[in-house]
């Protein structure tokens, strides 16, 4: 008699070290994103070539959602919160963060700070539980100032495009944190070992967060990048003319963050790259880049750049 299929997978969390900091990637699921509207200035023949060369799905991009937690010993940070379960407006495959945090031995009440790279729904809607209460009841909420101004503008509510629906959900998600908001600017170091870098374009105020300990660094890039093949090969390609606040600026930010990752030997985290979205960026001979993913391992130790 054949054994029954289990139809289960390992819990979606992955842990690694940056110096003395303990980092954990938490999978919140994925977005089944069609190619429609993506890379509007890209060459269709080149898109097809890369699809074939890397055996990519031809009809969609499975964009993983990979929030992170960083324990610096004095604070526990969350970097972006996933889609959550209150408003799953980007498909039925998201909202896994709470269960995967629990599997990783991490507790929502222990989080001290939530860092938001930008305020799009798949990064902020996880701030609240299905009943509207705080997911992280003891946390301060840190948001780039320009992004806050763009996405908490109540004038968006009157729009009949995606901005109206998104703004409604964002305002609901941040409401319980209103008394614990901190707005930051690029170039700031709001906490020891944490710095803020502008990667604006996809949204007007989007920022990346760089954590540094004992000379090792990891950069959490939010949506400066979206795809592990197309973006490094062609950082000049826009992501989406509709969803990007400034597509050309977004492409410039993408190239800048890739160069920084190369020059400073940063561990690189792509929020929408295949889980866990962690690896390094290397230069290619033609001036573009390549992403080399870390191979998940049960070992907990130094990363690819180890000493």
């Amino acid at each position: 008699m054949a054994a029954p299929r289990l139809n289960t997978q390992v819990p979606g969390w992955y842990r690694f070290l940056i110096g003395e900091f303990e980092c954990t990637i938490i999978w919140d699921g994925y977005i089944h994103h069609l190619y429609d509207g993506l890379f509007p200035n890209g060459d269709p023949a080149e898109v097809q070539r890369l699809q074939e060369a890397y055996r990519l799905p031809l009809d969609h991009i499975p964009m993983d959602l990979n929030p992170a937690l960083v324990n610096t010993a004095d604070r526990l940070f969350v970097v972006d919160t996933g889609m959550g379960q209150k408003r799953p407006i980007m498909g039925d495959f998201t909202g896994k963060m709470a269960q995967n945090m629990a599997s990783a031995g991490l507790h929502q009440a222990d989080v001290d700070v939530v860092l938001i790279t930008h305020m799009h729904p798949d990064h902020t809607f996880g701030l609240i539980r299905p009943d509207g209460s705080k997911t992280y009841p003891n946390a301060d909420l840190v948001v780039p100032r320009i992004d806050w101004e763009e996405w908490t503008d109540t004038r968006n509510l009157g729009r009949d495009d995606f901005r109206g629906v998104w703004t409604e959900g964002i305002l609901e998600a941040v409401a319980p944190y209103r008394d614990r908001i901190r707005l930051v600017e690029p170039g700031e170091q709001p906490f020891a070992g944490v710095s803020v870098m502008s990667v604006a374009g996809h949204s007007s105020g989007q920022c990346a967060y760089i954590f540094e300990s004992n000379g090792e660094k990891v950069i959490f890039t939010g949506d400066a990048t979206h795809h592990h093949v197309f973006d490094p090969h062609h950082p000049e390609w826009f992501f989406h003319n509709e969803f990007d606040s400034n597509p050309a600026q977004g492409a410039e930010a993408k190239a800048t963050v890739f160069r920084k990752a190369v020059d400073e030997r940063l561990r690189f985290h792509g929020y929408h790259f295949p889980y866990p979205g962690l690896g390094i960026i290397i230069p290619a001979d033609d001036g573009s880049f390549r992403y080399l993913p870390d191979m998940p391992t049960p070992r907990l130790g130094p990363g690819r750049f180890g000493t």
Side-chain angles (χ1 to χ4, degrees):
M1 175 175 160
R5 290 178 57 161
L6 299 179
N7 292 315
T8 57
Q9 184 55 281
V10 295
W13 63 270
Y14 182 67
R15 191 159 287 145
F16 66 101
L17 301 178
I18 290 293
E20 296 299 318
F21 295 170
E22 183 179 79
C23 311
T24 309
I25 307 299
I26 302 292
W27 191 65
D28 188 54
Y30 71 97
I31 300 169
H32 186 96
H33 205 305
L34 302 180
Y35 277 95
D36 296 348
L38 295 184
F39 310 116
N41 65 330
D43 177 4
E46 175 67 353
V47 171
Q48 183 177 3
R49 183 188 74 81
L50 292 172
Q51 287 174 326
E52 294 173 353
Y54 287 88
R55 305 294 195 270
L56 301 173
L58 300 180
D59 61 338
H60 75 286
I61 292 176
M63 288 176 27
D64 284 358
L65 278 59
N66 295 306
L69 285 92
V70 182
N71 189 337
T72 65
D74 61 341
R75 290 182 177 88
L76 180 61
F77 293 86
V78 165
V79 184
D80 289 333
T81 67
M83 180 65 71
Q85 299 174 347
K86 182 72 164 64
R87 289 178 178 243
I89 63 173
M90 293 186 180
D92 300 328
F93 308 110
T94 61
K96 314 294 186 185
M97 186 168 180
Q99 69 191 55
N100 284 323
M101 271 188 68
S103 296
L106 295 162
H107 305 287
Q108 295 169 338
D110 291 341
V111 172
D112 300 293
V113 181
V114 176
L115 301 173
I116 298 295
T117 60
H118 67 298
M119 299 194 73
H120 289 182
D122 50 325
H123 300 256
T124 57
F125 280 15
L127 282 166
I128 54 176
R129 299 179 175 129
D131 65 1
S133 64
K134 288 182 179 181
T135 302
Y136 306 103
N138 300 310
D140 296 327
L141 179 59
V142 176
V143 183
R145 180 185 59 81
I146 293 175
D147 227 67
W148 175 268
E149 292 172 353
E150 178 178 11
W151 287 104
T152 60
D153 186 344
T154 56
R155 290 174 295 184
N156 291 334
L157 296 173
R159 299 179 59 154
D160 59 4
D161 62 3
F162 72 94
R163 287 182 173 269
V165 174
W166 286 17
T167 299
E168 180 182 3
I170 290 164
L171 290 170
E172 179 184 40
V174 302
Y177 298 85
R178 286 278 185 170
D179 61 341
R180 301 190 68 169
I181 299 288
R182 177 174 176 179
L183 303 182
V184 293
E185 304 278 358
E188 282 190 37
Q189 292 184 320
F191 305 95
V194 183
S195 58
V196 183
M197 173 187 174
S198 175
V199 286
H202 179 60
S203 71
S204 296
Q206 179 177 227
C207 288
Y209 295 99
I210 301 171
F211 284 76
E212 179 175 5
S213 173
N214 291 351
E216 298 180 23
K217 299 179 184 180
V218 60
I219 183 168
F220 296 102
T221 61
D223 283 5
T225 61
H226 288 83
H227 196 272
H228 63 297
V229 173
F230 297 121
D231 284 333
H233 279 76
H234 291 285
E236 76 278 7
W237 288 1
F238 307 156
F239 172 63
H240 202 296
N241 273 336
E242 180 180 7
F243 295 128
D244 283 3
S245 295
N246 187 324
Q249 185 186 27
E252 292 175 6
K254 190 190 316 181
T256 297
V257 78
F258 283 152
R259 284 194 296 269
K260 185 178 181 69
V262 169
D263 293 344
E264 299 185 20
R265 296 170 63 84
L266 305 179
R267 296 284 291 284
F268 185 92
H269 181 257
Y271 184 83
H272 287 302
F273 283 12
Y275 167 85
L278 184 70
I280 64 171
I281 302 297
I282 62 171
D285 292 339
D286 62 0
S288 65
F289 305 90
R290 300 293 182 268
Y291 168 70
L292 301 183
D294 282 10
M295 297 296 103
T297 171
R299 299 190 306 271
L300 181 63
R304 187 191 298 270
F305 288 135
T307 55

